[in-house]
Amino acid sequence: MSYSVGQVAGFAGVTVRTLHHYDEIGLLVPSERSHAGHRRYSDDDLDRLQQVLFYRELGFPLDEVAALLDDPETDPREHLRRQHELLTARITKLQEMAAAVETAMEAKKMGINLTPEEKFEVFGDHDPDQYAEEVERRWGDTDGYKESQRRHASYTKDDWKRINDEFTAVHAHMGELLHGGVAADSAEAMDGAEEHRRFISRHHYECSYEIHTCLGEMYVTDERFTAFYEAIRPGLAVFMRDAILANAVRNS
């Protein structure tokens, strides 16, 4: 039994273009071709596609997915065990966050003021101000730092909420591109990197392409920035760095 690319796309909920891309990069090469040269997928191909989509949902970059699936030392049952462990961990974290949201909703409805510890316990030990002294020490004499301080002083609480929501959307978009297997040097990814640069220029300081590429490099060399992006989507720190660099080259 074999299936056409359109049938497989329908089964898996992916686009035909995605399947073509997987074939082109060797991640999922169909076992057969029709007399007319059209792709035909076997049941084994569908099993591999299922594994690919599991790993993609968990945020693995395509090159890592290929390496994992082609590892001769790992059998299919081991892939399933690993994916089950990762999914269980994600479910646990999401359940914790859902419980925190429910607590906050109930508190708002009943007029209860949560303590700072209760508001932020789901985010662990992160303190958004913990690096303020370091930032001032490293960049306090730069024009960019002074400009950002002037702008930040005028922002209200609502301004900060709007800015943070906008930045979250920028990162979410880049994470979706990565999740979809879009190349970091593609037009879509470079456009996303450009929006990231413009966001910084709009709300913080004038971010040149040179400065932007330095930021991108810092995302992968400073473990704190790397952890921030990896929490959004595994592999996002490197994806951001590469897209930012490609965008700078495009605009040079």
Side-chain angles (χ1 to χ4, degrees):
M1 187 71 179
S2 66
Y3 309 91
S4 70
V5 67
Q7 288 177 306
V8 174
F11 296 153
V14 299
T15 65
V16 169
R17 180 182 176 186
T18 294
L19 293 175
H20 287 178
H21 179 59
Y22 288 174
D23 184 8
E24 290 164 1
I25 65 176
L27 179 61
L28 179 66
V29 178
S31 300
E32 304 172 24
R33 293 274 179 171
S34 69
H35 293 301
H38 299 306
R39 296 170 174 87
R40 301 292 300 181
Y41 293 83
S42 68
D43 287 329
D44 286 343
D45 295 333
L46 296 187
D47 287 342
R48 183 177 174 94
L49 176 58
Q50 182 188 53
Q51 295 298 321
V52 169
L53 296 181
F54 276 146
Y55 278 120
R56 292 301 291 142
E57 183 60 31
L58 288 164
F60 283 74
L62 291 178
D63 56 347
E64 290 187 22
V65 174
L68 286 166
L69 294 181
D70 294 334
D71 182 357
E73 301 299 321
T74 306
D75 64 30
R77 288 173 297 179
E78 179 59 30
H79 286 299
L80 289 172
R81 281 194 294 270
R82 179 188 294 122
Q83 290 161 351
H84 183 267
E85 290 172 359
L86 292 170
L87 286 167
T88 300
R90 176 179 288 187
I91 290 169
T92 299
K93 184 63 175 177
L94 289 173
Q95 287 174 334
E96 291 173 354
M97 296 194 72
V101 171
E102 290 173 2
T103 299
M105 291 171 59
E106 190 65 22
K108 287 288 185 183
K109 184 170 68 175
M110 299 180 65
I112 300 171
N113 291 321
L114 298 177
T115 67
E117 291 79 10
E118 291 170 329
K119 288 180 181 177
F120 298 107
E121 61 184 5
V122 72
F123 300 107
D125 298 326
H126 174 67
D127 175 4
D129 294 324
Q130 64 182 314
Y131 304 126
E133 183 178 342
E134 178 184 348
V135 170
E136 183 174 5
R137 184 176 67 253
R138 293 176 64 179
W139 296 292
D141 293 333
T142 66
D143 291 339
Y145 177 84
K146 294 172 184 176
E147 181 182 356
S148 68
Q149 290 299 101
R150 286 194 299 270
R151 294 193 194 185
H152 295 174
S154 67
Y155 291 158
T156 65
K157 179 180 178 180
D158 287 341
D159 289 331
W160 278 117
K161 184 180 185 306
R162 174 177 52 81
I163 291 168
N164 288 336
D165 288 346
E166 185 179 336
F167 208 30
T168 297
V170 171
H171 289 146
H173 175 63
M174 293 299 284
E176 286 303 312
L177 293 180
L178 170 61
H179 179 62
V182 175
D185 59 355
S186 66
E188 298 99 319
M190 288 190 287
D191 289 345
E194 178 64 13
E195 177 54 30
H196 182 270
R197 187 189 69 84
R198 290 179 179 177
F199 170 89
I200 296 171
S201 293
R202 280 196 304 273
H203 300 299
H204 300 293
Y205 55 85
E206 188 59 37
C207 184
S208 66
Y209 289 105
E210 181 180 4
I211 292 175
H212 202 211
T213 56
C214 290
L215 288 175
E217 192 62 33
M218 189 164 59
Y219 296 160
V220 298
T221 57
D222 188 315
E223 62 183 14
R224 296 166 298 186
F225 284 99
T226 303
F228 170 79
Y229 282 106
E230 294 302 289
I232 297 172
R233 175 77 63 179
L236 186 57
V238 171
F239 185 76
M240 288 288 296
R241 188 272 309 277
D242 292 348
I244 287 170
L245 179 58
N247 183 56
V249 170
R250 177 177 65 167
N251 287 279
S252 61

